[in-house]
Amino acid sequence: MSATRTARERARAELASEIKDVARIQLGVSGADGLSLRAVARELGMVSSAIYRYFPSRDDLLTALIIDAYDAMGAAAEAADAAVPSTELRNRWRAICRAVRTWARTNPHEYALIYGSPVPGYQAPQDTITPATRVPFALLGVLRDAFASNRLTAPRDPPGFTQRLIDQVGEIAAVTNPELPYQTLTRALIAWTQLFGMISFELFGQFVGTVDPTDDFFEHATQHMADLVGLPR
Amino acid sequence: MSATRTARERARAELASEIKDVARIQLGVSGADGLSLRAVARELGMVSSAIYRYFPSRDDLLTALIIDAYDAMGAAAEAADAAVPSTELRNRWRAICRAVRTWARTNPHEYALIYGSPVPGYQAPQDTITPATRVPFALLGVLRDAFASNRLTAPRDPPGFTQRLIDQVGEIAAVTNPELPYQTLTRALIAWTQLFGMISFELFGQFVGTVDPTDDFFEHATQHMADLVGLPR
DNA sequence: TGTACATCAGTGAACGCGCGTTCACTGATGTAC
DNA sequence: TGTACATCAGTGAACGCGCGTTCACTGATGTAC
């Protein structure tokens, strides 16, 4: 009975993921607002109402795609990190950055889904938050190890640390790496925005006519970021 | 006769800009793909086909909005720059960054239109390029003045300057500020991506639960950027 | 200054299209005795 | 092992909606003599 039950359930899970696969391809053609349940159903050779057996609405399908995208990007970052010896801090940092960029370039429309302009009228539910933290957590992991082994240098910070900023950063530290000084965490935040700023510019066409192709600029900027957060050269 | 001609032409220009105004409001409600000529016409109390007297297609209306947005943001940046004494280099830098952020927060949907995910199937024409350069040019103007008055310090760059990167940056220099060293221009590029990375994260909701509100973090990061490009404290 | 003609703005109907979602249904798969 | 019933996947028709764009038209505004 458990065998038969899983038979049906397996079919169900398989079709659900086929639906997502087709939807992902559709994303590439027409973007998030262009994602159409009818088109997905057509592609799968089924009638549009059948999709509702798997996803209660278009927004739920979108949410599933968003979660998958965050998870795929996070997994890519973690795998790249794990492939570098853990004491090679700067190389780990660079590997994570590179993996995020490569994933984004390989899956530009999924990237746009999670880091582009929000879909109007769509409110991302709570379930997306945890997967979204995987990349920043991977970056913080490098800093944690660097700090623990006393290899984190402290660049001279500019003025501008208000108490409110210190408190905000302190709250992030509390739920992630309480041992890291707030200065380090602030610099990590800056590097984090820098990383995605570059990738968005590259994918959304802002570099056309300047640093395009972007490979060399990206590598160089990544080194600057490693300097900023205090990783040894 | 020139008076009468301008009478008609003025009416025409006025309605064209009323159409754009309504379209801009629509953008806010439903995003770029949601922008509907019929809805705009309805709002203006005219029939949908009348819009075609002013814009040959939906895409042309979008293009006009994009150009206006770049220009408005650029004008805000330039005005903020001009309001600071030209020798206060760091304050000019910060004023420009602040102006860009403020404009983006005030006009989030126009910001999303130009810096968010590209509208699928829409190809931005050449006319958008010049207005798009106004903000980076304003930032470069500060660096130009700093360099000319010999007040630009040179931070120690990390490794990673390939010849190709130097060439790419050199080409940008050639059409903007040939006197600036490529290292400075590269750091300016990094700061540029950093600036828009932060603004996008703030507007697109990536900071929710971390540095939100973002004011203090933004000010602090702006100082870091000024350090990076070598402006005196 | 007045008339004949050309230009242009806006109308209204129509074409052809695609969408999300609901609902009563058929028939296959799984469950309990 | 066999039968009666319940669950579930997928169908097909329908509702109600909005969209971009075209086209022949009316009537007002501007132009040339």
Side-chain angles (χ1 to χ4, degrees):
Chain A
M1 13 205 97
S2 118
T4 45
R5 172 185 303 171
T6 48
R8 196 186 245 180
E9 275 177 359
R10 205 167 354 166
R12 187 181 168 75
E14 233 167 66
L15 229 176
S17 95
E18 265 186 73
I19 290 174
K20 290 197 288 185
D21 289 345
V22 171
R24 254 187 290 271
I25 293 168
Q26 284 252 330
L27 268 191
V29 181
S30 36
D33 324 62
L35 176 63
S36 141
L37 294 189
R38 296 187 101 110
V40 169
R42 226 177 287 131
E43 183 69 33
L44 287 167
M46 58 202 311
V47 97
S48 70
S49 51
I51 303 287
Y52 287 81
R53 294 277 162 204
Y54 296 87
F55 297 93
S57 78
R58 203 193 86 110
D59 274 7
D60 290 272
L61 176 54
L62 256 185
T63 299
L65 292 176
I66 287 173
I67 291 174
D68 283 3
Y70 275 126
D71 271 325
M73 174 187 264
E78 289 159 13
D81 184 18
V84 177
S86 67
T87 54
E88 295 183 17
L89 300 167
R90 183 172 283 250
N91 284 339
R92 285 172 63 193
W93 176 273
R94 295 174 65 197
I96 293 170
C97 292
R98 228 179 264 137
V100 172
R101 173 173 179 247
T102 301
W103 184 88
R105 283 161 53 95
T106 312
N107 307 279
H109 297 95
E110 285 181 85
Y111 179 85
L113 188 62
I114 55 185
Y115 287 100
S117 10
V119 181
Y122 171 81
Q123 179 66 23
Q126 286 294 106
D127 323 20
T128 60
I129 292 181
T130 310
T133 58
R134 289 176 69 170
V135 168
F137 271 46
L139 292 171
L140 280 178
V142 179
L143 298 186
R144 190 220 315 116
D145 291 355
F147 187 78
S149 58
N150 214 19
R151 294 169 65 201
L152 205 57
T153 59
R156 185 165 152 251
D157 279 303
F161 266 118
T162 62
Q163 189 57 47
R164 182 166 71 156
L165 178 55
I166 294 174
D167 291 346
Q168 287 178 326
V169 174
E171 275 180 48
I172 305 173
V175 298
T176 57
N177 295 86
E179 71 276 24
L180 288 178
Y182 71 86
Q183 294 96 331
T184 299
L185 252 157
T186 305
R187 287 190 228 106
L189 276 171
I190 293 178
W192 176 50
T193 62
Q194 162 76 52
L195 172 62
F196 285 94
M198 274 194 295
I199 294 174
S200 293
F201 264 25
E202 180 180 3
L203 290 184
F204 299 167
Q206 223 73 27
F207 280 147
V208 171
T210 59
V211 279
D212 172 39
T214 315
D215 306 63
D216 296 21
F217 174 70
F218 184 85
E219 284 298 318
H220 182 73
T222 296
Q223 297 272 24
H224 259 295
M225 286 156 55
D227 281 2
L228 173 70
V229 295
L231 290 175
R233 285 202 182 159
Chain B
M1 7 208 100
S2 119
T4 45
R5 172 184 303 170
T6 47
R8 197 185 243 179
E9 276 177 0
R10 204 166 356 166
R12 188 182 168 76
E14 231 167 67
L15 229 175
S17 94
E18 265 186 72
I19 290 173
K20 290 196 288 185
D21 289 345
V22 171
R24 254 187 290 270
I25 294 168
Q26 284 250 332
L27 268 190
V29 180
S30 36
D33 324 62
L35 175 64
S36 142
L37 294 188
R38 296 187 100 110
V40 169
R42 225 178 288 130
E43 183 68 31
L44 287 167
M46 58 203 312
V47 95
S48 68
S49 50
I51 303 286
Y52 288 81
R53 293 276 163 205
Y54 297 88
F55 297 94
S57 77
R58 204 194 85 110
D59 274 7
D60 290 273
L61 176 55
L62 256 186
T63 299
L65 292 176
I66 287 172
I67 291 174
D68 283 3
Y70 275 125
D71 271 326
M73 174 186 266
E78 288 160 13
D81 184 19
V84 177
S86 66
T87 54
E88 296 183 17
L89 300 168
R90 184 172 282 251
N91 283 340
R92 284 172 62 193
W93 177 273
R94 295 175 64 197
I96 294 170
C97 293
R98 226 179 266 137
V100 172
R101 174 174 179 246
T102 301
W103 184 89
R105 283 161 52 95
T106 313
N107 307 280
H109 297 95
E110 284 182 85
Y111 179 85
L113 187 62
I114 54 184
Y115 287 101
S117 10
V119 181
Y122 171 82
Q123 179 65 23
Q126 286 294 104
D127 322 20
T128 59
I129 292 181
T130 309
T133 58
R134 289 176 69 171
V135 167
F137 271 46
L139 292 170
L140 280 178
V142 179
L143 297 186
R144 190 220 315 116
D145 291 355
F147 186 78
S149 57
N150 215 18
R151 294 171 64 201
L152 204 58
T153 59
R156 185 165 151 252
D157 280 302
F161 266 118
T162 62
Q163 189 56 47
R164 182 165 71 156
L165 178 54
I166 295 175
D167 290 346
Q168 286 177 326
V169 174
E171 274 180 49
I172 306 173
V175 298
T176 58
N177 294 85
E179 70 276 24
L180 288 179
Y182 70 86
Q183 294 94 333
T184 299
L185 253 157
T186 305
R187 288 190 228 105
L189 276 171
I190 293 179
W192 176 50
T193 61
Q194 161 77 49
L195 172 62
F196 285 94
M198 274 194 295
I199 295 174
S200 292
F201 263 24
E202 179 179 5
L203 290 185
F204 299 166
Q206 223 73 25
F207 280 147
V208 170
T210 59
V211 280
D212 173 37
T214 314
D215 306 64
D216 295 22
F217 174 71
F218 184 86
E219 284 297 320
H220 182 73
T222 295
Q223 298 272 24
H224 259 295
M225 287 154 54
D227 281 1
L228 173 70
V229 295
L231 291 174
R233 285 203 182 156

